[in-house]
Amino acid sequence: MADISLTASMRTTLLSLQNTQSLMDMTQERLSTGKKVNSAIDNPMSYYTAQGLTNRASDLEALLDSMGQGIQTLKAANEGIEAITSFVQQAKAVANTARDTVSKSSLTSSGTFKNSIPEAPTGGPANTSKITINIGDDSISYDVKGAINGGAAADDINAVITGLNANPNDDVLTKYNLELVKSADGKSIELKIKDPNVDVSSLKVSMTTEGASIGLSIGGVIDNTARDNSMKQFNEILNQIDQLANDATYKGVNLLKEDDLRVVFNEDRTSFLDVKGDNASTAGLGLSVVSDWSTTDLIDTTITEVENAINKLRDMASVFGNNYSIVQNREDFTDSLVNVLTEGSDKLVLADMNEESANMLALQTRQQLGVNALSLASQAAQSVLKLF
């Protein structure tokens, strides 16, 4: 090019065409990529600022996946709590049914002592006898002074009952849910079952005296078949609770078996939530396998355990629900923040396609005009050819 001489007008027009072509190349790149800043050469400040925003948005998007998995773990725990709560409520219903079940019982005489303490002879000393009633491994006793139902100074059945009840082992009757009463004919003592649901079929009762005895009877066989069936149902429900607590696992984390979960909220891991697991098994809830529902008191104890377990499950649900809301809100915030960062980055580097299209049209027009101008500029040089 240095060896070729061009007129000043031709060189100026040619330079203009080169600049136009350069602008067309840049505009074409913007139209094809959609960006006005494609490298640090285009605009270093905008390029690196946009790159930083894009990188942070990318890091937060990766954390969004972790937050989503944390939410699913909390959902798994919550579903487990709801199912376990249903089981516990079912167990309570079974216990209440057993409590309300009227056991079939019939009081039958298991032993009757018909001999009476003889009356004291007229003018003679009063007879003295010691009555001892053995109940299970315990006993109560009373020293009888005088004849039963005889003589002015003689003890009667009421006095004997009072004396037996007042002995140092008076808690024995309470222990076995029994009480002493006078028989209908007023001549013997009966040991009465206070709670008709108490199983006395294996209770050993006997009476010994010194020289004489009074009538004593006790009996009763309790049919606890219905309660036993309810007890088996209750224990099976407890077994299902333990199995369900073990199955409430998500990706190896089980919040109902005291596993812990950490959910990270920002790229440098300085913002996070630690979720503490709890024990939703029967042991953690304080529920015990039952082996004896023969009395109402025993069933009431179980019902109390069940009610405490329901309250604990409600507390668990409240804690996990609060943690779920926190993670959900942070996930929504992070999602919005990613959009803000991406939008900010785009504002720095994205091209206005309408503007670039208009630029391309203007440059094409300018290029065409430049070609025409170059043709006109070259006509002066071409006029030399007319001399030949």
Side-chain angles (χ1 to χ4, degrees), residues 5-15 377:
S5 297
L6 299 175
T7 63
S9 60
M10 290 179 65
R11 190 172 295 280
T12 301
T13 304
L14 182 60
L15 181 61

Side-chain angles (χ1 to χ4, degrees), residues 116-315:
S116 299
I117 297 176
E119 295 183 6
T122 303
N127 293 320
T128 301
S129 299
K130 187 174 184 179
I131 297 176
T132 301
I133 301 177
N134 302 301
I135 307 173
D137 296 328
D138 302 295
S139 65
I140 57 177
S141 61
Y142 173 68
D143 291 326
V144 179
K145 298 178 180 180
I148 299 295
N149 292 333
D155 285 339
D156 59 13
I157 292 294
N158 292 328
V160 173
I161 292 174
T162 301
L164 288 170
N165 285 331
N167 81 92
N169 294 325
D170 59 351
D171 58 338
V172 173
L173 297 174
T174 302
K175 175 180 176 181
Y176 294 101
N177 282 307
L178 303 172
E179 62 179 341
L180 290 170
V181 297
K182 184 167 61 174
S183 63
D185 60 9
K187 295 182 178 181
S188 62
I189 298 174
E190 292 181 352
L191 208 54
K192 182 180 178 182
I193 303 173
K194 296 171 66 175
D195 186 348
N197 293 319
V198 174
D199 184 0
V200 295
S201 58
S202 61
L203 187 62
K204 296 179 179 179
V205 179
S206 64
M207 184 182 71
T208 60
T209 65
E210 296 177 0
S213 63
I214 62 172
L216 173 68
S217 65
I218 185 174
V221 177
I222 305 299
D223 181 5
N224 273 327
T225 302
R227 285 188 171 182
D228 289 342
N229 290 336
S230 295
M231 188 168 60
K232 291 177 182 178
Q233 295 173 13
F234 182 89
N235 289 335
E236 178 56 33
I237 292 173
L238 296 192
N239 181 49
Q240 291 299 319
I241 289 174
D242 285 333
Q243 292 183 21
L244 196 151
N246 289 329
D247 292 339
T249 301
Y250 185 85
K251 293 185 67 176
V253 178
N254 191 341
L255 295 175
L256 302 187
K257 296 294 287 185
E258 298 183 290
D259 291 344
D260 296 334
L261 173 69
R262 169 169 286 194
V263 183
V264 179
F265 298 133
N266 64 354
E267 64 275 19
D268 58 5
R269 307 184 70 83
T270 58
S271 179
F272 56 85
L273 173 68
D274 283 329
V275 180
K276 303 295 292 183
D278 211 327
N279 190 349
S281 66
T282 54
L285 296 175
L287 296 174
S288 306
V289 174
V290 294
S291 58
D292 184 8
W293 269 0
S294 60
T295 68
T296 301
D297 288 341
L298 291 172
I299 298 177
D300 285 341
T301 299
T302 300
I303 292 175
T304 300
E305 290 181 357
V306 172
E307 290 173 344
N308 292 336
I310 292 175
N311 291 332
K312 184 170 183 179
L313 286 168
R314 288 172 179 170
D315 291 340

Side-chain angles (χ1 to χ4, degrees), residues 71 101 236:
I71 287 176
T101 300
E236 178 56 33

Side-chain angles (χ1 to χ4, degrees), residues 353-364:
M353 302 304 286
N354 292 326
E355 180 181 355
E356 299 303 330
S357 297
N359 289 339
M360 178 59 75
L361 181 60
L363 289 171
Q364 288 174 341

